[in-house]
Amino acid sequence: KRIELRVQIPERLEHDIHVIRTAVDLTRKGITVCLIHKNPRDFEPIKEEMRKKHGILVLKPEEYVDP
């Protein structure tokens, strides 16, 4: 299934593209998705775009536990 991303994915996240595409697909089906990551350097550049364009929260573990 081809899932269009409206976010420019940094090259260093290409290995996680399947996770990002799955998250986008689930939100289109009405399922709330939150991506939890341990590497802010990789995900910080797309964090706000993912929220605005796809409704997906991208959080560090400590933000998820204690927002």
Side-chain angles (χ1 to χ4, degrees):
K1 182 177 183 178
R2 177 95 172 114
I3 299 169
E4 181 184 340
L5 299 177
R6 291 175 270 160
V7 175
Q8 182 66 35
I9 303 300
E11 190 174 309
R12 64 181 172 263
L13 285 178
E14 284 295 322
H15 66 280
D16 287 325
I17 195 75
H18 63 286
V19 174
I20 296 167
R21 288 187 192 282
T22 300
V24 170
D25 189 41
L26 289 171
T27 59
R28 289 180 182 163
K29 294 176 181 175
I31 299 170
T32 301
V33 175
C34 182
L35 295 176
I36 311 300
H37 67 88
K38 292 176 103 176
N39 194 340
R41 180 184 72 116
D42 288 350
F43 282 92
E44 201 61 37
I46 66 168
K47 183 177 186 171
E48 195 59 26
E49 279 189 283
M50 290 295 287
R51 185 187 64 77
K52 286 180 181 177
K53 295 181 179 178
H54 295 291
I56 297 171
L57 295 177
V58 180
L59 304 172
K60 294 178 266 185
E62 56 273 11
E63 292 174 318
Y64 178 73
V65 173
D66 189 19

